[in-house]
Amino acid sequence: MSQLSPEQTAAFERALSRLSPADRARVDELTERAAAAAAAVAPHWDFGLPARTVDGLLGESANDDQRRGLVAAWGLELPGRIAAERLPQPVLAGYPTYIDRLAAYLDSGAEPYDPDFWAKDVRVSLALSVPGSNTQMLDLSSPVGPGLVVRHMLGGRGPGPLIGWVQAGGWRPWLETHTEARDLSDFNEAGWERNWAAAAALLQTRPDLAGVIGSSWFFDPPLETISPRLTYLRTTPVSNGAFMIHQGGGQIHDERASASSPTRRAKIEAGEYSACSWLLCWPRKPLIRWATTRGLI
């Protein structure tokens, strides 16, 4: 993607033009410094750390107009950041939709700036996360430490993930996939295949990466009987070389699992099911092989 469309440029410029003189001065002062600070912490496992780092630089007087202004300023610079990353075509193909969505959200002036959207928009506007599908974004660097894998084994769940982690060179950075709640149009089997294929294409160009990971309750094995329509989320990767690491349960996972399903909600409320989060790890070689065999890359 070499340049923004006139409509995208206009939307970003409108967001900047709405700022008060004081907010515009603050945005202009921090645009470069905040971008560098966010990029420096982006490889951390904490997805929201770049956004919180920017908030720290904005200080106690931070407001949503300043946040929108920074994202708009970074949006205007995004083609240069995209070019610098030398991204493969399956990833580049997602940018028109991503930038349209970003520009529309800024243009809407939504109040307050949803913290999850703010975290995602910082990463996308700085090319720290890139398109996988309309619904899934891919962080370009995320760690999987040995502690989590060892705890899985010590919990009596077997040594398989530890072996897989070592074979994959799991101490290296991984891509990580995250769901974008503003567009769930690709939360289906075909959309997830596009996301995995984009990850495989990235891995082909980045031999330093170990593979791709994703962390969620929707990889929980009991969903095979409770919500069989979601089974593909786990079985497609696991049947093609991925392994899973148990992360544990908790109220947040029950809330997320019950939010969109009366069936899951009823089972959770009845004490018949408690959602657990799992880390799905798909190492580079089997993922690239899967995507190549299916003609996706």
Side-chain angles (χ1 to χ4, degrees):
M1 179 171 183
S2 59
Q3 62 184 17
L4 302 175
S5 71
E7 294 78 12
Q8 292 165 344
T9 300
F12 291 140
E13 290 178 343
R14 279 194 300 272
L16 287 166
S17 71
R18 295 191 190 105
L19 299 178
S20 70
D23 285 343
R24 181 60 187 264
R26 189 67 172 142
V27 166
D28 289 345
E29 175 192 359
L30 286 178
T31 298
E32 291 187 15
R33 182 153 60 98
V41 300
H44 193 275
W45 62 264
D46 185 344
F47 179 85
L49 187 56
R52 291 201 304 280
T53 299
V54 175
D55 278 333
L57 291 174
L58 286 171
E60 293 182 0
S61 62
N63 61 57
D64 285 344
D65 287 341
Q66 293 171 356
R67 294 183 180 96
R68 275 190 289 269
L70 281 171
V71 171
W74 294 331
L76 289 169
E77 299 170 349
L78 187 51
R81 290 191 170 93
I82 294 170
E85 291 295 339
R86 301 179 181 271
L87 299 168
Q89 185 56 38
V91 174
L92 293 174
Y95 267 109
T97 296
Y98 268 57
I99 297 175
D100 283 346
R101 183 170 63 212
L102 181 63
Y105 187 76
L106 295 179
D107 223 9
S108 73
E111 289 282 0
Y113 203 144
D114 182 280
D116 180 61
F117 298 164
W118 163 238
K120 288 182 167 69
D121 292 348
V122 168
R123 298 189 69 101
V124 168
S125 63
L126 294 174
L128 306 173
S129 299
V130 301
S133 70
N134 289 349
T135 304
Q136 296 297 131
M137 62 178 59
L138 294 163
D139 303 347
L140 292 178
S141 180
S142 189
V144 179
L148 184 64
V149 193
V150 171
R151 283 195 297 274
H152 174 102
M153 184 177 67
L154 294 178
R157 295 181 176 86
L162 180 58
I163 295 169
W165 183 84
V166 171
Q167 290 177 337
W171 52 87
R172 297 179 294 167
W174 298 67
L175 300 171
E176 182 167 8
T177 187
H178 291 275
T179 300
E180 169 54 86
R182 284 171 287 189
D183 184 352
L184 296 177
S185 62
D186 267 352
F187 202 101
N188 51 49
E189 191 164 3
W192 273 90
E193 284 200 352
R194 282 190 287 275
N195 179 60
W196 297 132
L202 270 168
L203 292 170
Q204 281 186 316
T205 66
R206 301 186 179 212
D208 56 312
L209 296 175
V212 61
I213 59 174
S215 174
S216 182
W217 60 270
F218 51 65
F219 297 127
D220 200 5
L223 295 178
E224 187 166 343
T225 54
I226 298 170
S227 298
R229 65 185 179 82
L230 298 180
T231 299
Y232 71 89
L233 291 165
R234 180 178 59 85
T235 57
T236 295
V238 170
S239 298
N240 291 279
F243 58 89
M244 298 208 311
I245 303 169
H246 184 261
Q247 293 178 298
Q251 182 179 350
I252 185 62
H253 304 304
D254 284 341
E255 290 174 355
R256 290 171 176 170
S258 62
S260 59
S261 169
T263 300
R264 290 193 296 272
R265 186 182 311 117
K267 287 187 174 294
I268 289 169
E269 290 175 351
E272 298 173 1
Y273 171 60
S274 182
C276 287
S277 179
W278 290 76
L279 183 70
L280 186 144
C281 305
W282 203 342
R284 58 177 300 111
K285 288 183 179 179
L287 173 54
I288 291 171
R289 182 167 58 246
W290 169 84
T292 301
T293 300
R294 292 184 64 84
L296 298 173
I297 58 173

